[in-house]
Amino acid sequence: MLISTKGRYALRVLIDLAEQSDGEYVPLKDIAQRQEISQKYLESIMSALSKAGMVDGAHGKGGGYRLKKPAEEYSVKDILAVTETSLAPVGCLNKDASSCNRAAECKTLPMWKRLDSLLEDFFANINLAQIVQGKL
């Protein structure tokens, strides 16, 4: 499993929005400056997060982005699900993987399934508020 730049940046952006959580829209250029991420790249990330219902966007003066829900309601698992194709530790556990003809006799498959479950549980039990508050 390798978390992409897009996934890491999505987390950083949502953490930034959680830290600015006064209900006001935060201009994308301000987020880009604070996070030292290209505004153009952030636009594609924000589009994906908006389509997933994680952020509200507003155009024009006073526009920008804000979280749609309290920070406690955003799990790392849900955020990464928007940006990552898969978090599976091995290819055969990917959602779109074709069935393996060796699965029945694969001695390592139970171990990979257990790791996959541990990773999913780990990310499901961490939310933005915990990260912002440093309570990990």
Side-chain angles (χ1 to χ4, degrees):
M1 172 198 65
L2 182 66
I3 306 297
S4 70
T5 301
K6 189 173 184 177
R8 294 190 322 269
Y9 286 2
L11 281 167
R12 285 173 49 188
V13 167
L14 291 175
I15 290 165
D16 191 290
L17 288 175
E19 291 173 333
Q20 313 299 322
S21 65
D22 56 5
E24 300 294 317
Y25 288 97
V26 179
L28 192 60
K29 67 177 177 64
D30 294 351
I31 299 168
Q33 286 175 340
R34 276 192 299 275
Q35 296 301 319
E36 299 178 345
I37 301 170
S38 155
Q39 186 171 335
K40 189 78 172 164
Y41 192 42
L42 281 185
E43 288 170 3
S44 71
I45 293 171
M46 296 312 284
S47 176
L49 294 172
S50 182
K51 286 177 187 169
M54 294 188 163
V55 296
D56 273 329
H59 298 288
K61 185 174 172 129
Y65 292 92
R66 66 181 178 191
L67 297 179
K68 270 193 156 177
K69 306 177 286 188
E72 296 82 11
E73 295 181 28
Y74 291 82
S75 74
V76 172
K77 175 187 171 194
D78 291 341
I79 297 164
L80 293 177
V82 172
T83 60
E84 304 301 313
T85 306
S86 174
L87 293 176
V90 290
C92 62
L93 294 180
N94 286 332
K95 290 177 233 170
D96 59 350
S98 55
S99 60
C100 175
N101 60 354
R102 294 193 36 80
E105 64 257 357
C106 182
K107 300 288 187 189
T108 61
L109 186 57
M111 174 186 68
W112 297 127
K113 285 183 176 181
R114 185 170 171 209
L115 177 59
D116 189 44
S117 178
L118 289 169
L119 288 170
E120 190 168 315
D121 290 345
F122 176 78
F123 289 133
N125 288 300
I126 298 175
N127 65 54
L128 285 181
Q130 290 170 309
I131 295 170
V132 169
Q133 297 164 2
K135 295 183 178 178
L136 294 180

